[in-house]
Amino acid sequence: DGGITQSPKYLFRKEGQNVTLSCEQNLNHDAMYWYRQDPGQGLRLIYYSQIVNDFQKGDIAEGYSVSREKKESFPLTVTSAQKNPTAFYLCASSIGAGRYTNYGYTFGSGTRLTVV
Amino acid sequence: ELKVEQNPLFLSMQEGKNYTIYCNYSTTSDRLYWYRQDPGKSLESLFVLLSNGAVKQEGRLMASLDTKARLSTLHITAAVHDLSATYFCAVGYQYNFNKFYFGSGTKLNVKP
């Protein structure tokens, strides 16, 4: 079955450490996205990518970095510059970018990141 | 920036009752999405609304879109406990089609 796989499900980060969250999809979707969800709040866009080797900052990109070397993969690195990284991180993909996102997103199962 | 407001944020209701969740947004858009999230889980797509007057129904849930009023509603008919979850609306941003803006969510608790 096609879908989006995020790993790990739980991740603990020490102060000053960089960590990378994995996101892989086998839906042949062009566009991929990273969102952050804080308790009791909606989702905020961190980064998105419409095509391989291209990505754009979302609304809260500071302290995060991404790469899109393959269509299937869009890993997110949470750097030490992100001062409050504890949150639930969701990866999503859509069948196309721009006007073609009529089907909305397919979401992964999420990664819960905690600073220890 | 597009702002999306949902209300109510919390909703506790008895089984068998009807209720409506509202989603208002601040700028023109003709794409609106509803999602369901169970505790600790990811988001599941419920409805995609792509034009003014669009209405979609699935089981006890019905969603509608009024682009002139910048309003979408999610109506729950004869609620059952299994509908307990958090419901989010998301609006497509017309100036950047790749960006969706999410409401804060409505946490629904249906009491048996």
Side-chain angles (χ1 to χ4, degrees):
Chain A
D1 287 337
I4 299 180
T5 301
Q6 286 188 244
S7 62
K9 188 170 183 177
Y10 299 96
L11 185 58
F12 298 91
R13 191 195 93 167
K14 294 181 180 178
E15 295 282 353
Q17 192 178 41
N18 292 354
V19 292
T20 297
L21 284 60
S22 170
C23 178
E24 304 276 333
Q25 55 101 356
N26 61 2
L27 299 165
N28 199 32
H29 284 177
D30 292 310
M32 297 186 74
Y33 310 80
W34 274 105
Y35 280 87
R36 169 179 171 143
Q37 185 179 29
D38 292 284
Q41 298 188 28
L43 279 67
R44 292 183 290 166
L45 181 63
I46 305 173
Y47 269 98
Y48 63 97
S49 168
Q50 301 178 57
I51 192 172
V52 174
N53 292 323
D54 184 61
F55 47 83
Q56 306 294 329
K57 291 182 179 180
D59 299 309
I60 55 165
E62 185 176 349
Y64 300 97
S65 66
V66 293
S67 63
R68 186 89 185 275
E69 296 177 1
K70 299 186 298 182
K71 187 175 184 178
E72 303 79 20
S73 179
F74 191 41
L76 173 74
T77 297
V78 184
T79 74
S80 56
Q82 172 49 243
K83 297 306 177 189
N84 184 23
T86 295
F88 189 48
Y89 290 86
L90 285 160
C91 179
S93 68
S94 62
I95 198 167
R99 264 284 188 210
Y100 300 103
T101 51
N102 286 343
Y103 296 97
Y105 293 164
T106 300
F107 281 90
S109 56
T111 293
R112 193 166 300 280
L113 174 62
T114 305
V115 174
V116 295
Chain B
E1 182 178 319
L2 189 153
K3 295 194 184 302
V4 182
E5 288 187 2
Q6 277 182 247
N7 68 84
L9 297 182
F10 298 94
L11 178 55
S12 183
M13 56 193 296
Q14 296 289 133
E15 279 193 329
K17 298 292 187 182
N18 303 336
Y19 210 86
T20 300
I21 299 170
Y22 297 89
C23 175
N24 290 91
Y25 53 96
S26 61
T27 66
T28 303
S29 175
D30 59 359
R31 294 180 300 140
L32 191 131
Y33 310 84
W34 283 97
Y35 292 90
R36 168 183 172 143
Q37 185 179 38
D38 291 296
K41 304 292 186 181
S42 187
L43 275 71
E44 172 193 354
S45 179
L46 293 175
F47 299 109
V48 179
L49 303 168
L50 298 176
S51 61
N52 186 40
V55 178
K56 296 276 184 75
Q57 182 162 7
E58 181 73 34
R60 300 174 188 275
L61 301 178
M62 183 174 71
S64 66
L65 178 62
D66 181 343
T67 59
K68 293 180 181 178
R70 299 176 186 169
L71 171 69
S72 179
T73 60
L74 181 65
H75 187 72
I76 304 157
T77 301
V80 293
H81 181 67
D82 284 352
L83 290 179
S84 297
T86 299
Y87 293 85
F88 290 95
C89 64
V91 182
Y93 189 43
Q94 69 171 66
Y95 297 111
N96 183 335
F97 297 125
N98 295 291
K99 298 181 80 170
F100 288 13
Y101 286 86
F102 283 79
S104 300
T106 296
K107 187 170 184 179
L108 172 65
N109 178 31
V110 181
K111 295 182 282 189

